[in-house]
Amino acid sequence: PEVFLAAQRAIYQGLSLSAVQITGENIRINLGQVLKGKALRLLEPIFICGQITLEKNDLQGSLRSSLLASGLKDLLALLLEANKFTNPHQMLENYDITWEEVEFTQDQVSLKGSLKDEREEISAIYLSTGLNLIDKQILALNPLKVEAKPEHLNFSLTDFQVDLGEEVEINHLSLDSTQLCCHGKLTVKPD
């Protein structure tokens, strides 16, 4: 019914993590059906509590991961939408963005990359933001700034908020010049 996992220098789907400690509780699966050759299924939600530490070098090593690249592209689409652009995902289809460098400072994350447009021209792109918790499910990116050669990708936002969803509960988030640390809970619901 419970699983505890602790790891140092773990890699999950291309994301490097310095330290992970998680506990999964209330694990109920259809074991009887699995023994009869059926697919494994969750019978009830699993409650996961844990702590993740991500050092600057970990994030630097994760920049080429498809999971992180997809998440950053989704973030850019949300930012464009907040700036009143229609069809931001379609707009971003015209660009190939490669993130190359990350920097942590006190309460600030900065990313530098290259952006290739449909004419194969390459220019620099920068994204920087502070990270603050508004409550357990709302993350504020403030101040947030994106700089790129295409003018429509140049903007600054204050108090941009990301709703992490009802399945997520972050109790503590800290960022300094060397690492990002997050303590929280996650609910994994059955299909």
Side-chain angles (χ1 to χ4, degrees):
E2 182 175 297
V3 172
F4 175 75
L5 170 71
Q8 301 234 0
R9 304 285 176 226
I11 298 176
Y12 173 74
Q13 294 187 0
L15 294 178
S16 298
L17 306 166
S18 294
V20 178
Q21 287 186 336
I22 58 174
T23 302
E25 300 173 341
N26 193 45
I27 301 171
R28 294 202 49 237
I29 60 170
N30 61 332
L31 186 57
Q33 292 177 335
V34 170
L35 294 174
K36 294 177 184 175
K38 302 281 184 181
L40 178 78
R41 284 192 22 243
L42 290 178
L43 300 176
E44 292 183 20
I46 297 175
F47 304 105
I48 299 173
C49 301
Q51 170 182 322
I52 295 175
T53 303
L54 182 72
E55 293 178 358
K56 177 187 161 193
N57 292 341
D58 297 322
L59 189 56
Q60 183 69 45
S62 300
L63 288 177
R64 300 240 183 240
S65 112
S66 61
L67 187 62
L68 184 59
S70 174
L72 289 170
K73 200 165 197 173
D74 288 344
L75 175 62
L76 281 175
L78 281 173
L79 298 173
L80 288 169
E81 191 175 295
N83 267 344
K84 310 294 186 226
F85 283 93
T86 55
N87 301 323
H89 284 284
Q90 186 177 13
M91 180 188 298
L92 290 173
E93 293 285 322
N94 297 324
Y95 302 103
D96 182 21
I97 301 171
T98 304
W99 297 103
E100 299 158 350
E101 192 176 325
V102 65
E103 190 65 45
F104 285 176
T105 58
Q106 194 67 33
D107 298 325
Q108 185 98 17
V109 176
S110 300
L111 296 167
K112 177 185 174 188
S114 60
L115 182 142
K116 185 179 354 175
D117 65 17
E118 64 273 3
R119 296 180 310 244
E120 303 289 318
E121 292 180 14
I122 297 173
S123 59
I125 183 169
Y126 303 93
L127 184 149
S128 63
T129 186
L131 299 174
N132 300 298
L133 280 177
I134 300 296
D135 66 30
K136 294 180 181 194
Q137 278 123 357
I138 306 288
L139 179 65
L141 306 178
N142 185 36
L144 186 138
K145 187 173 187 178
V146 176
E147 296 177 44
K149 187 172 183 177
E151 289 302 313
H152 59 274
L153 289 180
N154 269 326
F155 51 86
S156 295
L157 295 172
T158 56
D159 200 32
F160 182 77
Q161 297 180 3
V162 178
D163 186 342
L164 302 172
E166 64 183 30
E167 292 88 11
V168 176
E169 184 178 305
I170 297 181
N171 299 316
H172 175 76
L173 180 71
S174 64
L175 174 66
D176 62 30
S177 61
T178 61
Q179 67 182 11
L180 171 67
C181 189
C182 179
H183 302 255
K185 298 177 184 177
L186 176 69
T187 302
V188 179
K189 295 183 177 180
D191 294 335

